[in-house]
Amino acid sequence: MSHRQAGSRAADSGNRVPVVVQAPDPISQAGVRSQLGQHPVIDLLDGTEAGPGAVAVLVNESPDETTLSRLRRLVRSEGAHAVLVVGAIREAELLDVIECGVGAIVWRHEASAHRLVQAVLAASRGDGDLPADLLGRLITQVGSLQRTAAGRPGAPLSGLVPREIDVLRLIAEGMDTGEIASKLSYSERTVKNVMHGLTTRLHLRNRAHAVAYALREGYI
């Protein structure tokens, strides 16, 4: 199912997605709110506080320590989903951003209304939505760690079963739940159950964090 179809289904069923926007300046704040407000499934909340199940869209030029601290608070303390809209991310910041619990990242120069809504809907469902070039950089960054993990006696040490590895590998290739289910001949519920099981067992916050974990431990 496409993001647009998912949005239409949510809108038809009345399940609007609560969204707060946090930006460093009034122009960015107004611009993102205007883009998101065009879609019927988005319920823009006043203020910047996000509650459980809400999606917080954070806008900044780069993920500085203030932004990372805010992300950790939103995801871990407030129970929100997070979308990060940034101009650039340095190599050293990639895993920090993922491990803060960010479910979706959008480049500022690609932040059209469609792209922002797509990211918000993915984050609200617990799906990952990373730009392809950013995922490629993440894979490159952890390559040496992957080789190190693969070379340890008995590694990897904590157990992912084969179907969990299969699902994570397809997530890393950019597939959504429906595409993964079709590829592996599973139901979508099975794919979701696989992800829920491994993220709960390993204390991972979302799909992006799970992919980062699998890469770092040498599974994919």
Side-chain angles (χ1 to χ4, degrees):
M1 180 170 58
S2 70
H3 293 287
R4 181 170 296 179
Q5 289 171 324
S8 298
R9 177 176 294 183
D12 291 343
S13 64
N15 296 326
R16 301 179 71 200
V17 178
V19 176
V20 298
V21 178
Q22 299 185 10
D25 61 86
I27 292 177
S28 296
Q29 177 85 7
V32 172
R33 286 182 63 88
S34 175
Q35 296 277 56
L36 289 172
Q38 300 174 30
H39 201 286
V41 78
I42 301 297
D43 181 18
L44 283 174
L45 305 180
D46 294 329
T48 58
E49 295 301 317
V55 176
V57 179
L58 273 68
V59 185
N60 211 336
E61 188 55 39
S62 64
D64 56 21
E65 188 53 46
T66 300
T67 301
L68 293 175
S69 296
R70 188 174 300 151
L71 286 168
R72 293 186 190 100
R73 188 189 74 246
L74 285 165
V75 175
R76 300 177 188 179
S77 300
E78 299 183 25
H81 304 288
V83 174
L84 182 61
V85 182
V86 289
I89 297 178
R90 294 191 299 268
E91 302 299 328
E93 296 166 335
L94 278 175
L95 285 178
D96 287 339
V97 169
I98 297 301
E99 292 180 349
C100 282
V102 175
I105 298 173
V106 178
W107 296 127
R108 289 190 68 155
H109 68 274
E110 296 179 350
S112 63
H114 172 74
R115 184 68 189 89
L116 287 169
V117 170
Q118 185 182 60
V120 166
L121 294 179
S124 72
R125 295 191 302 267
D127 291 346
D129 189 356
L130 302 182
D133 59 329
L134 189 57
L135 183 57
R137 286 166 53 196
L138 179 62
I139 292 171
T140 299
Q141 179 185 342
V142 300
S144 60
L145 294 176
Q146 176 180 350
R147 290 189 293 273
T148 299
R152 291 198 305 259
L157 298 177
S158 55
L160 288 180
V161 300
R163 73 174 183 173
E164 290 174 336
I165 298 170
D166 289 340
V167 168
L168 286 173
R169 184 176 292 114
L170 295 178
I171 291 172
E173 292 176 7
M175 294 188 184
D176 62 23
T177 299
E179 292 168 332
I180 293 169
S182 177
K183 181 77 171 179
L184 297 177
S185 298
Y186 293 160
S187 68
E188 291 193 23
R189 180 177 295 276
T190 295
V191 174
K192 291 177 181 178
N193 287 342
V194 168
M195 284 305 304
H196 177 74
L198 77 90
T199 54
T200 300
R201 188 177 76 252
L202 299 175
H203 307 290
L204 303 169
R205 282 176 284 283
N206 52 41
R207 291 186 175 204
H209 194 190
V211 169
Y213 167 84
L215 287 164
R216 191 167 54 234
E217 294 299 319
Y219 284 101
I220 61 177

